[in-house]
Amino acid sequence: MTTGSHEAHSTHVVSNQVPPLVGHNTAGDPVLREGVEREGAAWALPEIDELGRLAGTAEAQDWGRLAERVPPRLHTHDRYGHRVDEVEYVPAYHQLMATAVEHGLHAAPWADDRAGAHVARAAKFFAWNVDAGHGCPISMTYAVVPALRANPEIAARFEPLLTNREYDFGLRDPQTKRGLIAGMSMTEKQGGSDVRANTTTATPQTDGTYVLRGHKWFTSAPMSDMFLTLAQTSNGVSCFLVPRVLPGGERNAMRFMRLKDKLGNKSNASSEIEYDAATGWLVGEEGRGVRTIVEMVNMTRLDCVIGSSAGMRTALTMAAHHAQHRSAFGKLLVDQPAMRNVLADLQVESEAATTAMLRLAGANDRAIRGDEGEAALRRIALAVTKYYVCKRAPFMVNEALECLGGNGYIEDFDVARIYREMPLLSIWEGSGNVAALDALRALAKEPHSLDAFMAEAELAAGADARYDAALDRLKKEFTSFDDLELRARRIVEQMALVFQGSQLVRHAPAPVADAFCASRLGRDWGGAFGTLSPRGDLGAIIERALPA
C-alpha cells in the first residue's frame, strides 16, 4: 500500500474537531467594555485590553493549567528536622501572581486617585481569568486595605507595600520587601460562619502586641506575608494583623497542620493552621472585630461576583467557539436551532451577571470616594447579587460544558476546571443562607439601603411591563415582615433579578433586555437553559457571545 493510500484510510485523521481557542482578547466582551465606559473607567481600556490579550495566549493558559494540575505542597519541616511551615508552588503559579500584581489586580487601586480606578481593577480581574486559585490571595490583598485603616499606624506602615506593583515572594521581614500579599484567617472548625463562636484567644502584652493561641479551619494562601484574623479578648471577638515573619526576621509561631484537598481551586493552598503563641497587632477596637473585618468581607464579596461572572463568560466563550467550528447533522452547531437557543440563553445569563457586576464596581468606586447613596446601594445590592450570581454560575457553566459534549467532561478542554471552581464562590465568605440572611439584616439595620435599592430599580420603571410587574411583586414582599427568614432566599432572589433587570432594561441591546424580561421576569421560560421564546432575536444575542 502506498503512503498516500495509507493516509487516506488512516483511523487517526482528525476532522471536525475544534481548533484551540487562543489568540483572542478576553477583554473583548462587549458587555464588559460598555460597562467599563458607563461606570467611568474608559481611560483604562488600553490597560484592560493588554491584559485581555495576554490572557488569550497559549502561554498564559498553560500557566493556569499547570498551576491547577500541580497543586501546592506543604513542607512542615526541613530535611534536618527544623520546623519551616512552608508551601511550595510550581513556577507557573508565581507567573500568574506576578502578572496580576504588575497589572494592579491586587491593592493598587487604593493608591490611585483617578475616578474609576476600582472599576478598572474589576474589569482586569474579570479579564485575567486563566486561573481562579491565585485570584484568592490577589483578592484578599485588595480587600485588606480598608480594614487595616482602622489602625492608621499599621496602615501607614504596610499600605504602600500592599499597593506596590511588584510581586516579591518569600518569607522575610515585611518591611524589607518590595511588595506584600495579605490573607484572611477567620473560621474555626466548631463555628464555621458563626465567627463569634471562635475559641482562639488573644492576650495583651506590655509592648502593645497580643499573643494568639488557637486553631483556624480555613486559611487560604498561607505563604502570604500577613493575615487579618479574629480572636477572643476579654472584651469579645477582636481583629488582629498577624505577620508570617516578625520585625527583625524571626518567623511568627504559625504552624501549618495540613492543606485542604478541595473539589477545585487546586492552585490555591488552603490550610489549617495553629497559632502557637503567635504575635499579632490589634486592628480597630477590642470587641469590634467582626465590624472591623466586614469591610474586607465586602470587598471579597464583590470579587466573588466578579469571579463568578468571569467564569460564566469564559465557559460561554468556549461553548460558542466550539459551536462555531463543530458540525453535526449537516450544519455547524451554531446554526442548529436548538443550540442557538442554548447559546442565546447562556449569553442572557452571562450578560445579566456581568452588567450587574460592573454597576456594583461603579457603586464601590463612588462609595470609596465618599458617595453615601452609592454606599447604601452597594451594601444591599452587593449582598443580593453575590447570593444569586454565585448560585447561578454552576448551573450555567454546567450547560456550557454540555455544549462541548464529551469533550467538555475531559480535563484537557478546561471547561471542567471552571465547573469545579464555580461552587467555591457561592461558599466563600458565607454560603447561600448566610448571604441571604445578611441581606435581610442590612435591610433591618440600614433601612436607607432599601430606599437606595428601590430608587435604582425605579430608574428602569415604565420601559417594560414585565419588569414593572416584577418590581411590584418585590414591593409586596416587604408589606409583611412575618416569616421573613423563611422567605429569605425568595426575597433575595427576586431582588437580584430586579437589579439585573433594571440594568439590562436601561443599558443592554433590546434583544437581550427583551429575552431577560420575558424569561427571568415574565416567566416565559423552562427549567433548563435553551428554553427562550422563539420570538426573540436570538441571532443578535448570540453575536455578543462570540469570542473577540
Side-chain angles (χ1 to χ4, degrees):
M1 181 180 291
T2 66
T3 301
S5 62
H6 178 270
E7 290 176 351
H9 293 88
S10 172
T11 60
H12 294 287
V13 173
V14 177
S15 62
N16 197 28
Q17 285 285 353
V18 177
L21 177 56
V22 293
H24 62 298
N25 179 2
T26 64
D29 176 9
V31 187
L32 180 71
R33 304 181 74 81
E34 292 159 11
V36 166
E37 292 180 358
R38 192 166 55 245
E39 298 300 335
W43 55 265
L45 282 172
E47 300 174 33
I48 298 166
D49 273 333
E50 178 188 352
L51 190 59
R53 285 191 293 269
L54 177 59
T57 65
E59 181 182 29
Q61 291 177 28
D62 283 342
W63 291 343
R65 203 171 290 125
L66 185 59
E68 183 78 0
R69 290 189 177 182
V70 187
R73 294 181 59 195
L74 171 62
H75 302 285
T76 57
H77 296 77
D78 68 12
R79 57 184 171 174
Y80 302 107
H82 303 118
R83 188 96 200 197
V84 293
D85 294 294
E86 292 192 8
V87 177
E88 179 185 11
Y89 300 88
V90 293
Y93 176 86
H94 297 299
Q95 292 277 11
L96 293 164
M97 288 291 293
T99 302
V101 171
E102 288 164 9
H103 285 82
L105 275 65
H106 64 321
W110 299 102
D112 191 338
D113 291 333
R114 289 176 292 183
H118 294 266
V119 176
R121 182 260 172 192
K124 286 187 280 189
F125 198 85
F126 179 97
W128 184 239
N129 191 42
V130 293
D131 165 72
H134 83 287
C136 178
I138 293 297
S139 176
M140 291 189 295
T141 304
Y142 172 68
V144 76
V145 170
L148 275 188
R149 289 177 176 176
N151 187 322
E153 180 184 348
I154 289 178
R157 190 190 317 171
F158 294 121
E159 195 171 316
L161 293 169
L162 290 163
T163 58
N164 194 33
R165 294 191 181 201
E166 190 163 357
Y167 176 60
D168 188 4
F169 182 77
L171 297 181
R172 303 192 302 281
D173 181 340
Q175 292 192 279
T176 69
K177 300 186 71 175
R178 300 183 300 277
L180 301 177
I181 298 296
M184 180 167 51
S185 185
M186 295 196 301
T187 61
E188 298 182 4
K189 53 192 169 187
Q190 78 286 341
S193 297
D194 183 8
V195 294
R196 295 189 184 278
N198 283 2
T199 60
T200 296
T201 61
T203 306
Q205 306 298 295
T206 56
D207 63 357
T209 65
Y210 286 71
V211 170
L212 278 71
R213 289 184 172 86
H215 187 114
K216 293 295 181 180
W217 192 235
F218 275 101
T219 298
S220 287
M223 290 298 285
S224 299
D225 297 293
M226 54 186 59
F227 299 86
L228 280 189
T229 192
L230 296 176
Q232 297 279 1
T233 68
S234 58
N235 290 312
V237 176
S238 306
C239 181
F240 297 89
L241 179 69
V242 180
R244 279 296 316 272
V245 179
L246 297 168
E250 180 185 355
R251 294 194 181 187
N252 210 351
M254 296 173 61
R255 308 303 182 209
F256 296 172
M257 311 310 292
R258 61 173 174 169
L259 299 185
K260 301 289 194 180
D261 186 8
K262 296 171 291 184
L263 170 68
N265 202 246
K266 301 282 190 180
S267 63
N268 174 37
S270 296
S271 62
E272 289 178 46
I273 67 169
E274 284 189 356
Y275 295 127
D276 185 13
T279 298
W281 289 274
L282 182 68
V283 178
E285 300 176 33
E286 278 196 18
R288 298 175 71 91
V290 175
R291 179 167 182 171
T292 301
I293 212 167
V294 75
E295 273 301 306
M296 186 173 189
V297 170
N298 275 333
M299 295 300 161
T300 59
R301 179 177 286 172
L302 175 59
D303 279 4
C304 288
V305 177
I306 300 171
S308 293
S309 301
M312 294 161 81
R313 174 66 197 187
T314 302
L316 169 59
T317 300
M318 292 175 174
H321 174 73
H322 180 87
Q324 281 182 294
H325 295 277
R326 180 79 166 178
S327 295
F329 307 107
K331 291 182 181 179
L332 287 172
L333 288 177
V334 75
D335 294 326
Q336 293 283 8
M339 180 61 78
R340 291 177 67 77
N341 201 317
V342 170
L343 292 174
D345 212 350
L346 293 176
Q347 172 61 26
V348 170
E349 192 76 25
S350 173
E351 185 149 351
T354 303
T355 304
M357 176 273 288
L358 288 162
R359 176 65 183 93
L360 291 170
N364 184 52
D365 191 88
R366 290 182 280 276
I368 289 166
R369 297 172 196 286
D371 189 321
E372 293 183 2
E374 290 288 272
L377 175 65
R378 178 188 65 174
R379 175 67 183 93
I380 187 63
L382 181 53
V384 301
T385 303
K386 192 272 179 185
Y387 167 82
Y388 186 71
V389 168
C390 295
K391 274 268 180 279
R392 293 293 298 168
F395 293 104
M396 187 199 144
V397 174
N398 172 64
E399 192 68 55
L401 182 154
E402 191 174 324
C403 290
L404 277 69
N407 284 351
Y409 203 65
I410 304 302
E411 294 289 350
D412 292 346
F413 290 85
D414 290 337
V415 192
R417 175 159 55 104
I418 300 171
Y419 178 63
R420 286 186 284 104
E421 189 70 33
M422 287 299 97
L424 170 65
L425 296 170
S426 186
I427 296 168
W428 178 250
E429 71 79 32
S431 51
N433 286 346
V434 173
L437 291 172
D438 181 61
L440 297 187
R441 289 190 197 100
L443 298 178
K445 292 183 178 180
E446 305 169 48
H448 61 287
S449 65
L450 181 59
D451 295 336
F453 181 93
M454 289 301 180
E456 178 78 11
E458 290 288 353
L459 293 175
D464 188 288
R466 296 157 300 190
Y467 174 80
D468 293 345
L471 181 56
D472 287 342
R473 287 195 301 270
L474 176 62
K475 290 176 180 176
K476 289 176 183 176
E477 292 286 355
F478 296 109
T479 58
S480 170
F481 291 93
D482 295 337
D483 300 324
L484 198 59
E485 290 197 6
L486 196 61
R487 292 186 288 129
R489 287 189 174 215
R490 174 188 175 91
I491 294 172
V492 168
E493 178 176 310
Q494 289 185 54
M495 292 182 74
L497 287 169
V498 164
F499 183 67
Q500 289 183 336
S502 72
Q503 304 308 311
L504 294 181
V505 165
R506 293 169 59 204
H507 305 303
V512 175
D514 179 69
F516 182 90
C517 289
S519 57
R520 278 70 171 171
L521 302 181
R523 303 172 183 178
D524 182 9
W525 200 29
F529 286 102
T531 53
L532 293 176
S533 168
R535 294 185 296 275
D537 188 350
L538 303 188
I541 299 171
I542 292 169
E543 280 297 318
R544 295 172 70 78
L546 302 179

